[in-house]
């Protein structure tokens, strides 16, 4: 059993900051790409930022220069530092990771999501 558990969401005023964390647990051999997605009601889930095991990052244009994704491989954790938040950043944020369990091929896993609300 593998779990991804997010934390750090909440309510913040526009211009403020939040730091999301996502910890992977369970029978894990290795973790490949880790990413953050977000979703608002009635819309598709969109990629916010991703990071490879080696630390190469990718960002959606809408968050470039405001958000920073990082990871701690030893702690099986990925972070999303969100600065200069805007009301349009309001969404449920989901953690995603490619996880290999033992000799099995990697599978893709999702966390349960954490709500981020930015007030104007």
């Amino acid at each position: 059993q593998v779990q991804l558990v997010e934390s750090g969401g909440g309510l913040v005023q526009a211009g403020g900051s939040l730091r999301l964390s996502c910890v992977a647990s369970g029978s894990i051999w290795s973790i490949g790409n880790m990413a953050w997605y977000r979703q608002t009601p009635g819309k598709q889930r969109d990629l916010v930022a991703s990071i490879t095991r080696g630390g190469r990052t990718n960002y959606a244009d809408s968050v470039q220069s405001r958000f920073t994704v990082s990871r701690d491989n030893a702690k099986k954790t990925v972070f999303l530092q969100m600065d200069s938040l805007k009301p349009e950043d309001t969404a449920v944020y989901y953690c995603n990771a490619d996880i290999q369990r033992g000799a099995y091929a990697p599978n893709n896993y999702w966390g349960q999501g954490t709500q981020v609300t930015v007030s104007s």
Side-chain angles (χ1 to χ4, degrees), residues 6-12 18-21 82 91 93 114-117:
E6 300 104 333
S7 62
L11 173 65
V12 64
L18 282 175
R19 181 176 171 87
L20 304 183
S21 300
M82 305 186 292
Y93 284 71
T114 185
Q115 177 70 46
V116 170
T117 303

Side-chain angles (χ1 to χ4, degrees), residues 33-82:
N33 287 352
M34 304 185 83
W36 290 95
Y37 287 73
R38 66 187 181 188
Q39 187 172 26
T40 54
K43 296 191 175 181
Q44 68 180 19
R45 193 171 296 186
D46 292 326
L47 176 68
V48 175
S50 64
I51 184 168
T52 67
R53 183 172 179 81
R56 188 170 66 244
T57 59
N58 180 54
Y59 297 93
D61 290 343
S62 60
V63 306
Q64 187 79 38
S65 78
R66 298 188 299 121
F67 290 10
T68 303
V69 61
S70 60
R71 63 190 285 173
D72 184 330
N73 290 330
K75 295 183 178 179
K76 301 182 180 66
T77 302
V78 62
F79 305 96
L80 185 68
Q81 177 67 41
M82 305 186 292

